[in-house]
Amino acid sequence: MNIKVPRVVIAGLSGDSGKTLVSVGLCSLLKHKGIEVYPFKKGPDYIDSSWLTAAAGLAARNLDTFIMDRERVLESFLSNTDSNGFAIIEGNRGFFDGFDEKGTHSTAELAKLLDAPVILIVNVAKMTRTAAAIVWGAKYLDIGIQLGGVIINNYSGMRHKEIITKSIEDTTGVEVIGAIPRLQDIELFPSRHLGLVTPQEYEKARLAIDNAETIVENYVDVGRLIEIGNSANDIFVSQEIKGKEKPKEMTVRIGYLYDKAFTFYYPENLEALANEGAELVQISAFDEPFLPDIDGLYIGGGFPENYARELSKNKSFMLDLKEKSKADFPIFAECGGLIYLAENIKLEETYELVGIFPITVSLSKKPVGHGYFEGVVDSANPYFEVGSKIKAHEFHYSFILEANREVRTCINVERGVGAINSRDGLLQRNVFASYLHLHSLGCPDWSKKFIEICKMYKNIGKYRNMIGIPK
């Protein structure tokens, strides 16, 4: 079966090449032209995805051949696109940079899997003909790549632009479809140690997106880019792609923290919970005095360390969360969620947090854990079968400074850093916390297990109410 999906991969030669500027600006511009935009981000990235989501008005999906297998990647792409729209896949890192020296799991490998034309962003600061050598190398390093066009970025003047453009086109035969000059004093996407600031935290997010759109409109031949995307080959699949799952009847209510401190959630994870029968309830750790009537809580990643003072002030909410955990209330926490469930976080000052786990967390000036993760579940727990292998990613500057008493864990780290002593998966009754970011397409049983635990907690609560014991 052949499936038509207009699409391009926006790739760079390194980080900070300008691919997010082009991808976000292009999403916003096409949306305003009345074109349905399907945004994707290569790799396990939340922040770029959130900017793509804000620009396109549709949830950006992550595609990663390490965390989820190739079949799941293709399935996710095809089930979240349509022949009447236009898919924009933003790459990550350098185009050929991947898991190893062969570039396994790179943006280039994803482009080949999706059979997608590539638009290569080249930062040409302080170079001329060398840009042609770079493009030539990118074209011929892997002849399976369809290099559809080049956008040069950060040129310093018209002569600089003309020399580079002619050199690239004459040497490589690849068309230069855009040239963005060196830009100054333009409000775009602010950065910090982990990358960009999230749009949820940035008060000028809309202005930044609008500026990116204007830059793309002024300096890129968008009509030609669309033609390149429309010329993409049909994708051949041997069997019908599984569509969106029909949600099961709602049986439990699961809350998830979503505010300026906690924003890292893959849309597929929330959808997986909803499809298994969860009514999802959005909660702010800043504003709510107590937990609402829910049967479980999901705490994603984010930047609680940046808001430790504010979070620590909402003592009634934290106390309620801690007390409920003692009665087997299910909590699944990732990275920033782990920080929040610690007793303290030690920064310039020390702030008290929820205190479910007897640990103190602090921050390093350099990443403590950064990259793909592999581990094996080797201890009984409510969320994963013993013996199951976990593939995920971790990216954190925080670390467990000290444990005030022994902490139980259930995952042995085989690749990566983990939480403590090459271990991860902190356990306390029905509470699980780790530095891992799981993706439901790579860990499909996670949502089912979470729902089962929440159902058990709910039913026990009903029994307690019947005999007069508070839930």
Side-chain angles (χ1 to χ4, degrees), residues 122-128 131 152-156 160 164 168:
V122 182
N123 187 336
V124 297
K126 299 181 181 180
M127 72 171 75
T128 52
I152 63 174
N153 185 27
N154 209 21
Y155 72 84
S156 60
H160 190 205
I164 292 173
I168 289 174

Side-chain angles (χ1 to χ4, degrees), residues 99-116:
F99 186 82
D100 51 25
E101 73 282 358
K102 296 179 181 179
T104 310
H105 307 301
S106 66
T107 298
E109 291 298 311
L110 177 64
K112 289 195 294 183
L113 174 62
L114 300 179
D115 199 9

Side-chain angles (χ1 to χ4, degrees), residues 37 59 172 437:
V37 181
T172 70
H437 294 284

